């Protein structure tokens, strides 16, 4: 008997507690769960609580986010979703407008009325070219050019200066520039046509960060306003475009430009007149100039020799030039560009061997030559490349030439 009693009292006979024992002994969590279920059932029976829950589900929870945080969220969405996002509500419309940096204006009233600044307050790139034109709305004739696209009437053949007859007055353009400059002080790039000196002076005074300017229908007087843009780095001047408008840019304007915009890095002269003196002034004053593009020029003979004053010029482009320089002068007066690396010729008339020879003489340090869609380039002109110092390492690219003999 003693043995049996010992076995019963031994720890081997004690059964470990089960999960049911633990659950029944500790009933506090169960009570909390039952209490919560009862509250939920009571709330479901109360009609007031149901309306509160329904109203909470319809609340725009983005209203809890500050504008700065919501702007960061919207800025990370794809660009294709910007227009749908602006249709959500007025707040999203305003925030989406603050994300827009570049805009092309088609309606001038949108700028002059002040709606542009209210809708897009943080613009840095504005193109006013098409907005400066007025055209008949009921016309089915569409005129397209590499610069503009506009509707015109059926009597356009009687006047070959199409844009000149459909431009906004200078006073209206200047008022628009003043409104833009006052509303967008962080403007970095601007494209405009038919502006005056006063309008550009306003932009230069208000928009100190302006770095790129494209000016159409430019003349010598307008360049006085551009000279006030001290931080300008990229400039394109369009003086005369056949069939669209005409304007005069001479050595006087180029000298004014050179003395004011000394930080220019890229300069394009399209349809401009001038001569040796104007290009020389640019080379002597714009010491940071690295790229020069001359398009459809009307310059006097002898301008090629002035390129040697552009000591830091690395790229020279000639586009759509009917002639290069018919009378470049003696070789000893031509000089050459020491830092020049690239020479691009596109849609140019190269029938004058004297001009091509003088061009290669000035560009004798070049390492890359691209000739594309030019006329009159024959085999004999390849021999002029031998004057280049790096002729054995110079790369030629020939595209779309009219004729090359075998």
């Amino acid at each position: 008997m003693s043995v049996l009693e010992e076995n019963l009292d031994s720890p081997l006979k004690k059964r470990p507690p089960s999960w049911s024992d633990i659950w029944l002994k500790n009933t506090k969590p169960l009570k909390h769960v039952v209490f919560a279920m009862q509250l939920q059932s009571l709330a479901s029976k109360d009609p007031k609580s149901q309306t509160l829950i329904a109203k909470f589900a319809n609340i725009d929870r983005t209203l809890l986010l500050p504008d700065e945080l919501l702007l960061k969220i919207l800025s990370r969405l794809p660009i294709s979703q910007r227009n749908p996002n602006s249709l959500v509500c007025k707040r999203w419309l305003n925030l989406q407008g603050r994300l827009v940096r570049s805009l092309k204006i088609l309606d001038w009233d949108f700028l002059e009325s002040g709606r542009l600044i209210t809708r897009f307050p943080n613009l840095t790139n504005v193109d006013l070219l098409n907005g400066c034109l007025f055209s008949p709305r009921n016309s089915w004739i569409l005129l397209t050019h590499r610069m503009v696209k506009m509707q015109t009437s059926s009597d356009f053949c009687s006047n070959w200066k199409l844009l000149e007859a459909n431009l906004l007055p200078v006073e209206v353009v200047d008022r628009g520039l003043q409104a833009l400059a006052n509303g967008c002080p962080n403007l970095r790039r601007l494209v405009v046509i038919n502006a005056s000196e006063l309008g550009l002076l306003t932009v230069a005074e208000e928009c100190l960060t302006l770095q790129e300017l494209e000016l159409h229908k430019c003349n010598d007087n307008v360049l006085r306003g551009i000279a006030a843009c001290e931080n300008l780095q990229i400039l394109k001047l369009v003086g005369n475009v056949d069939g669209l408008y005409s304007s005069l840019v001479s050595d006087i304007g180029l000298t004014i430009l050179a003395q004011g915009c000394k930080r220019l890095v890229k300069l394009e002269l399209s349809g401009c007149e001038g001569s040796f003196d104007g290009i020389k002034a640019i080379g002597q004053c714009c010491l940071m100039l690295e790229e020069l593009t001359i398009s459809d020029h009307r310059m006097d003979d002898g301008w090629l020799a002035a390129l040697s004053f552009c000591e830091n010029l690395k790229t020279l482009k000639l586009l759509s030039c009917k002639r290069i320089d018919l009378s470049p002068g003696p070789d000893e007066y031509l000089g050459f560009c020491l830092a020049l690396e690239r020479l691009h010729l596109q849609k140019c008339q190269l029938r004058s061997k004297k001009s091509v020879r003088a061009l290669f003489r000035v560009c004798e340090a070049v390492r890359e030559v691209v000739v594309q869609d030019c006329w009159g380039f024959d085999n004999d002109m390849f021999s002029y490349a031998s004057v280049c110092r790096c002729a054995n390492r110079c790369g030629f690219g020939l595209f779309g030439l009219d004729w090359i003999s075998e």
Side-chain angles (χ1 to χ4, degrees):
M1 249 345 245
S2 63
V3 176
L4 291 174
E5 290 177 359
E6 276 184 3
N7 292 336
L8 290 174
D9 296 335
S10 63
L12 297 175
K13 293 300 181 179
K14 291 183 179 180
R15 184 171 56 88
S18 63
W19 286 104
S20 60
D21 297 336
I22 298 174
W23 180 266
L24 292 174
K25 287 181 181 180
N26 189 9
T27 58
K28 290 183 178 180
L30 182 61
K31 292 179 180 179
H32 288 295
V33 173
V34 174
F35 182 70
M37 293 175 64
Q38 291 175 354
L39 288 178
Q40 186 176 1
S41 62
L42 291 174
S44 61
K45 295 178 182 179
D46 189 3
K48 293 183 179 180
S49 62
Q50 290 180 355
T51 56
L52 290 175
I53 294 173
K55 289 181 179 180
F56 181 76
N58 295 328
I59 291 177
D60 184 6
R61 300 180 184 179
T62 61
L63 295 175
L64 303 176
L65 300 176
D67 290 347
E68 292 75 12
L69 181 58
L70 191 55
L71 271 175
K72 290 183 179 180
I73 296 174
L74 294 176
S75 64
R76 295 181 181 273
L77 296 177
I79 300 178
S80 59
Q81 295 184 6
R82 287 187 176 180
N83 290 334
N85 290 338
S86 62
L87 300 177
V88 174
C89 60
K90 289 185 178 180
R91 185 193 181 200
W92 283 37
L93 176 66
N94 295 330
L95 291 178
Q96 199 67 49
R98 290 164 62 178
L99 294 175
V100 177
R101 298 291 186 268
S102 178
L103 197 65
K104 181 180 291 187
I105 306 300
L106 302 179
D107 184 5
W108 192 260
D109 293 335
F110 187 59
L111 168 62
E112 204 166 10
S113 63
R115 290 177 293 165
L116 172 68
I117 309 304
T118 305
R119 179 73 174 83
F120 307 103
N122 297 326
L123 289 174
T124 59
N125 182 359
V126 179
D127 187 346
L128 301 176
L129 183 58
N130 289 274
C132 295
L133 305 173
F134 59 88
S135 55
R137 301 294 182 182
N138 55 354
S139 175
W140 293 95
I141 302 176
L142 182 64
L143 173 66
T144 60
H145 191 265
R146 65 176 181 271
M147 296 185 302
V148 295
K149 180 186 295 185
M150 59 175 291
Q151 292 176 329
T152 183
S153 58
S154 58
D155 59 346
F156 70 96
C157 293
S158 61
N159 182 15
W160 287 107
K161 302 296 182 182
L162 298 178
L163 291 191
E164 210 159 342
N166 293 276
L167 286 173
L168 293 177
V170 177
E171 298 79 10
V172 177
V173 177
D174 287 345
R175 286 202 309 265
L177 288 178
Q178 184 175 4
L180 181 65
N182 294 331
C184 300
N186 296 323
L187 197 65
R188 293 178 178 269
R189 182 178 183 270
L190 175 64
V191 181
V192 67
I193 185 174
N194 203 32
S196 71
E197 175 186 356
L198 297 178
L200 292 174
L201 278 174
T202 304
V203 175
E205 293 174 356
E206 300 294 335
C207 306
L208 301 179
T209 59
L210 187 66
Q211 297 180 355
E212 184 175 355
L213 178 63
E214 183 174 333
L215 185 59
H216 295 258
K217 203 175 186 299
C218 180
N219 55 52
D220 293 340
N221 293 328
V222 175
L223 290 176
R224 299 179 185 273
I226 300 179
C229 303
E230 297 180 355
N231 296 320
L232 201 62
Q233 297 181 4
I234 302 175
L235 177 62
K236 179 179 180 180
L237 300 180
V238 184
N240 193 347
V241 179
D242 293 335
L244 296 183
Y245 55 81
S246 61
S247 187
L248 176 62
V249 177
S250 64
D251 286 335
I252 298 175
L254 295 179
T255 304
I256 296 173
L257 168 67
Q259 293 176 352
C261 303
K262 297 184 178 181
R263 296 186 179 182
L264 282 180
V265 178
K266 293 183 179 181
L267 175 62
E268 180 174 352
L269 304 176
S270 179
C272 298
E273 300 183 13
S275 63
F276 176 89
D277 295 332
I279 302 299
K280 178 183 177 181
I282 292 175
Q284 289 179 335
C285 298
C286 304
L287 301 179
M288 301 173 62
L289 187 65
E290 295 183 358
E291 181 175 327
L292 177 61
T293 302
I294 298 178
S295 176
D296 191 22
H297 74 84
R298 275 88 168 163
M299 294 187 184
D300 298 336
D301 295 337
W303 70 271
L304 266 180
L307 290 176
S308 60
F309 291 92
C310 303
E311 297 180 355
N312 296 317
L313 189 65
K314 294 181 179 180
T315 302
L316 176 62
K317 296 181 180 180
L318 300 180
L319 309 177
S320 303
C321 295
K322 300 180 178 64
R323 56 184 176 84
I324 304 298
D325 192 343
L326 298 180
S327 180
D331 293 346
E332 54 269 19
Y333 295 109
L334 285 177
F336 59 91
C337 301
L338 292 174
L340 194 63
E341 298 177 356
R342 291 173 292 274
L343 173 63
H344 291 195
L345 303 174
Q346 184 176 356
K347 295 182 180 180
C348 295
Q349 296 279 357
L350 303 179
R351 290 185 170 89
S352 174
K353 296 184 178 181
K354 183 187 296 185
S355 299
V356 176
R357 182 178 180 278
L359 178 62
F360 278 110
R361 174 68 66 179
V362 173
C363 305
E364 64 179 25
V366 73
R367 298 189 178 186
E368 176 185 340
V369 179
V370 177
V371 183
Q372 181 177 356
D373 299 331
C374 293
W375 293 270
F377 197 87
D378 56 15
N379 290 342
D380 295 337
M381 295 185 180
F382 280 103
S383 61
Y384 300 142
S386 61
V387 302
C388 299
R389 293 183 176 181
C390 304
N392 55 342
R393 293 181 285 114
C394 182
F396 273 86
L398 305 177
F399 307 96
L401 297 184
D402 61 341
W403 176 80
I404 297 180
S405 61
E406 299 180 357

